[in-house]
Amino acid sequence: MSRRVAFSTFLLLFVLIQVGAQHLLAQPAPDSARIRLRTVTFDPLAGEPAIPATRRAVASESSRGAYLVQFRGPVQEVWKAAVQQLGGQLYGYVPDDAFIARLDGATAEQVRALPFVRWVGPYHPAYRLAPELAAASVEAGKIVTVTVQTFPDADLDTLAARVAEWGGTVEGQGANPAAGYVRVALPSDRLNDLTSQDDVLWVEPYFQPVALNDVGGGTIMRANQVRATLGLFGAGQIVAVADTGLDVGTTGAAMSDDFEGRIVQGQALCALSGLRNAWSDLNGHGTHVSGSVLGNGTYSTSHPATHDYTNSFAGVAPEAQLVIQSIDSNGDPSLECIPADIDTSLFTPAYNLGARIHSNSWGGPTGGTQQNPQYGGYTTDSQQADAAMWQHRDLLLLFAAGNSGIDANADGAVDLDSLGSPGTAKNVVTVGASENVRPELPGTWGQSFQGFSAEPIASDLLADNPSGMAAFSSRGPTDDGRIKPDVVAPGTWIISARSHDPNAGTGWRVYNQDYVYMGGTSMATPLTAGAVSLVREWLVRIKNISDPTAALMKAVLLGGAADMSPGQYGNGSKQEVPAARPNNVTGWGRVDLMESLSPPAPRQIWFVDNTTGLATGGTAVYTLTVGTPLAQSAEQAGIGRTARTAGARVTPSPSVLLPAATASPARLLATPALPPEGQPLRSVPAAQPAAPTGP
């Protein structure tokens, strides 16, 4: 919503709907439906695209292969069941109203005859290769590193052996209930052979992720007030951080006192790839972000025994516990040890240790090349993140939006469309960076970063206005039209814990032997993860919800976000933050814990964590009775979505019911007429449009 209205009784309605929506666009009529892939969009009833014979699938009556099955409108569960009863298997969703399926030729004919099936056709090898890999600019014979997605029951060892025969190497593999994944490096002239394998569904370039580099959390996000008024410190919460490691990598006395005694487990994920079997922090990034989440500030002025963290460098949730997952082998910004399947090898192990919040300050481009990267796409990593949250409904993943913001045309306004992956995922909280307040520290955007030569950005200090954005913070939208980031938090001149490993870096500047300054959406993300820890503690301890869903945690967080419009450059042609919310600069705004958890009277918070969910076409109705008239009511919908197929494309419709990402505030319902006092205000429907779920 673009403004707040003071009511005698303010109801912030969180309608949490756990459904398997692939997307929330109004469904096209059957005669206008399309198959929307990243490689091509076409109406199959008007004919398939021209494909060379060598790139087409050959159908067989007896052998099973990959097909596309398109239904006649929003997909019903009984329709999917009918296909499966005939022997077909449905996998990833493809807009509009279609699924990738595994069928043999005879079954394909039977499925084609079903009255609710619009079209059945082969899923050709030509559809399975990302356009940038199919381009003529890819040098023949050049070794390229790619991520391969397969059917979930594919024999990955056999595929790996085939890659070796072609002169390639396998860098990692894994599988979850949705798909199998293999990361391989092979000659580019073997890519067509790779996509011709029956079990291969999608091949995209792999970009090695990089790390996306006090006042911020305690004052601007108002964690200090939440601690003082609600007694929330993160106690009982376990947060996982996947990053470069933690301090000296031990749970013993040598560990930094800011963390000692609260480490559930340290994991050296590089050991899975035969690399470094230690979780010490050779870079310094992981220690800093962990400190922002839950460092207790012992080396500054805090007194944890008395819950006193005032004026210290404690993180937002200083009494939470930590699972640290080291994904760095050599201390440079590139992260060599991201698993091929981040669902089963990264998120699930942390979940099994009790973590219900997972903070990730890393990411990369979504397409293009290293020289000309592209952003905003829905990648395999994005899909895996969504799949993880679909499998674990009470696990909230947070990802940095990226540091790719730039004013490329030097018009004095930061450009849109720079969002990195996995921050393009639907269900995760994607975090951008706002400015901190440390005007005494040096540097302007024009002096410190390339791409900001024009005013008013060039001469603006890096940390002098909490209502301003960090210029480097990546902006949305996603390529399929969703609004991102979800929220922002301070990300410039952030002071936090320093790694005591002798080889560790020192970030932007050294504060002392125990703390350093750093900046980036990397720093905004753990501050937000700490805020989510306090949200979850509030839900569990104060609201008596024993196992809150990720959708509820996200909705509560976003519901209190502070409106930053117009930003720090006024309302003119250089306006930094749009007036409407959500928007592709700040999302719903800057994290504000007091507004999320304890808004000033007479406002109140009312929410429902609907864990049973709705099927396609279902509704849930909530009727509220208020004592005095309201001017408006707000509905916040949290939609738990299954992951879309990575090779699929969603084209925005002009009629969008719920344009925001999962669990984002969806629409403002104005009340045209006020009822008499004591009468029901209105019935607020939580209507769910077409919601095809994964099989």
Side-chain angles (χ1 to χ4, degrees):
M1 67 196 81
S2 59
R3 62 189 178 94
R4 295 187 182 277
V5 181
F7 305 139
S8 297
T9 302
F10 180 88
L11 299 177
L12 183 59
L13 173 60
F14 296 135
V15 184
L16 282 303
I17 313 166
Q18 290 284 359
V19 298
Q22 295 293 339
H23 59 87
L24 299 176
L25 306 181
Q27 296 299 311
D31 60 357
S32 65
R34 299 288 187 270
I35 295 292
R36 304 181 192 273
L37 303 168
R38 279 192 59 194
T39 51
V40 66
T41 295
F42 63 98
D43 179 354
L45 299 189
E48 296 183 60
I51 299 172
T54 57
R55 304 293 292 131
R56 298 180 65 88
V58 179
S60 168
E61 285 292 311
S62 56
S63 62
R64 294 166 66 80
Y67 283 79
L68 291 166
V69 176
Q70 187 176 45
F71 294 93
R72 295 185 181 276
V75 183
Q76 304 292 324
E77 291 297 316
V78 292
W79 297 356
K80 295 195 297 182
V83 172
Q84 292 165 339
Q85 286 171 2
L86 291 174
Q89 293 174 283
L90 299 178
Y91 295 94
Y93 175 79
V94 174
D96 298 324
D97 308 316
F99 283 87
I100 294 175
R102 182 182 273 166
L103 310 167
D104 58 35
T107 304
E109 288 300 321
Q110 292 177 296
V111 172
R112 191 175 285 118
L114 293 172
F116 43 79
V117 171
R118 184 174 189 260
W119 176 79
V120 176
Y123 183 58
H124 295 295
Y127 299 157
R128 309 177 194 183
L129 187 64
E132 54 267 43
L133 291 174
S137 59
V138 178
E139 181 182 343
K142 178 183 178 181
I143 299 298
V144 293
T145 303
V146 298
T147 297
V148 183
Q149 181 178 332
T150 71
F151 283 117
D153 57 354
D155 187 335
L156 300 185
D157 291 335
T158 298
L159 180 60
R162 190 74 46 86
V163 168
E165 292 173 3
W166 296 333
T169 57
V170 174
E171 298 182 353
Q173 65 185 60
N176 60 40
Y181 305 96
V182 185
R183 186 181 304 146
V184 304
L186 80 169
S188 60
D189 50 11
R190 288 292 189 174
L191 289 172
N192 286 347
D193 295 323
L194 182 61
T195 56
S196 295
Q197 302 303 299
D198 290 339
D199 285 335
V200 170
L201 297 178
W202 179 246
V203 177
E204 68 184 18
Y206 175 72
F207 297 94
Q208 186 163 281
V210 297
L212 299 171
N213 278 339
D214 81 282
V215 172
T219 302
I220 297 175
M221 293 166 55
R222 299 210 282 175
N224 290 338
Q225 287 180 257
V226 166
R227 293 174 194 147
T229 60
L230 298 178
L232 299 174
F233 303 96
Q237 308 308 306
I238 300 176
V239 183
V241 172
D243 213 281
T244 59
L246 182 69
D247 197 47
V248 294
T250 178
T251 57
M255 172 58 62
S256 165
D257 287 353
D258 277 21
F259 305 102
E260 186 184 352
R262 293 182 296 120
I263 301 171
V264 176
Q265 189 175 99
Q267 299 178 343
L269 270 67
C270 292
L272 300 177
S273 305
L275 300 175
R276 189 171 71 108
N277 188 18
W279 48 276
S280 57
D281 188 3
L282 305 180
N283 179 284
H285 190 272
T287 303
H288 192 279
V289 301
S290 297
S292 291
V293 179
L294 49 72
N296 66 14
T298 294
Y299 288 137
S300 53
T301 59
S302 72
H303 301 282
T306 59
H307 310 294
D308 182 6
Y309 304 99
T310 306
N311 298 321
S312 75
F313 298 144
V316 178
E319 296 180 14
Q321 294 175 279
L322 175 66
V323 174
I324 181 69
Q325 298 174 300
S326 175
I327 49 178
D328 175 56
S329 179
N330 55 27
D332 65 28
S334 296
L335 301 174
E336 304 83 7
C337 307
I338 304 291
D341 179 7
I342 57 176
D343 179 1
T344 57
S345 299
L346 189 67
F347 305 134
T348 297
Y351 182 87
N352 291 340
L353 289 170
R356 295 297 179 265
I357 300 156
H358 201 292
S359 184
N360 301 272
S361 292
W362 50 269
T366 65
T369 64
Q370 293 287 359
Q371 295 73 29
N372 296 291
Q374 297 173 356
Y375 297 94
Y378 189 82
T379 68
T380 296
D381 281 347
S382 307
Q383 181 197 38
Q384 291 174 356
D386 280 334
M389 288 187 62
W390 183 249
Q391 294 295 323
H392 305 298
R393 307 295 178 88
D394 53 352
L395 172 65
L396 184 56
L397 306 179
L398 296 93
F399 275 95
N403 299 335
S404 298
I406 190 172
D407 178 15
N409 60 359
D411 66 350
V414 177
D415 307 329
L416 297 179
D417 191 17
S418 53
L419 198 71
S421 168
T424 53
K426 303 173 184 180
N427 294 332
V428 307
V429 174
T430 305
V431 185
S434 57
E435 285 192 7
N436 200 354
V437 181
R438 293 190 184 278
E440 73 279 7
L441 294 175
T444 66
W445 292 109
Q447 294 167 342
S448 306
F449 295 88
Q450 293 182 343
F452 305 114
S453 60
E455 297 295 348
I457 305 172
S459 61
D460 181 27
L461 291 173
L462 301 180
D464 65 342
N465 191 328
S467 291
M469 285 294 293
F472 55 64
S473 184
S474 290
R475 272 72 165 172
T478 64
D479 288 354
D480 54 23
R482 288 176 289 113
I483 295 174
K484 286 278 183 172
D486 296 299
V487 74
V488 300
T492 59
W493 285 115
I494 303 298
I495 191 168
S496 186
R498 176 181 181 178
S499 173
H500 295 100
D501 187 284
N503 298 308
T506 55
W508 281 15
R509 174 184 283 192
V510 171
Y511 178 80
N512 63 19
Q513 64 182 3
D514 300 309
Y515 299 99
V516 293
Y517 295 100
M518 291 189 185
T521 54
S522 275
M523 283 62 249
T525 302
L527 289 174
T528 305
V532 174
S533 302
L534 301 190
V535 167
R536 191 175 190 279
E537 183 185 7
W538 177 78
L539 289 168
V540 172
R541 184 166 63 82
I542 296 178
K543 294 301 180 180
N544 298 313
I545 299 178
S546 60
D547 190 21
T549 63
L552 178 57
M553 290 186 276
K554 183 176 180 181
V556 172
L557 179 77
L558 271 57
D563 187 357
M564 293 173 60
S565 179
Q568 57 190 331
Y569 307 133
N571 292 299
S573 61
K574 310 302 182 185
Q575 182 169 336
E576 183 182 38
V577 180
R581 288 197 292 166
N583 59 66
N584 287 306
V585 178
T586 66
W588 285 94
R590 188 185 62 244
V591 174
D592 186 329
L593 280 164
M594 284 297 291
E595 287 291 337
S596 287
L597 305 181
S598 185
R603 285 183 277 163
Q604 301 177 29
I605 299 172
W606 185 85
F607 56 81
V608 171
D609 201 359
N610 186 336
T611 59
T612 57
L614 298 175
T616 299
T619 61
V621 177
Y622 301 92
T623 301
L624 304 181
T625 300
V626 297
T628 54
L630 299 185
Q632 292 176 312
S633 66
E635 174 184 304
Q636 182 158 3
I639 310 298
R641 307 180 189 175
T642 55
R644 187 177 82 242
T645 298
R649 171 188 294 161
V650 172
T651 300
S653 162
S655 177
V656 179
L657 179 61
L658 299 177
T662 302
S664 301
R667 53 182 175 175
L668 186 66
L669 303 179
T671 305
L674 301 179
E677 183 171 339
Q679 297 299 310
L681 172 67
R682 64 181 298 170
S683 294
V684 183
Q688 172 57 30
T693 62

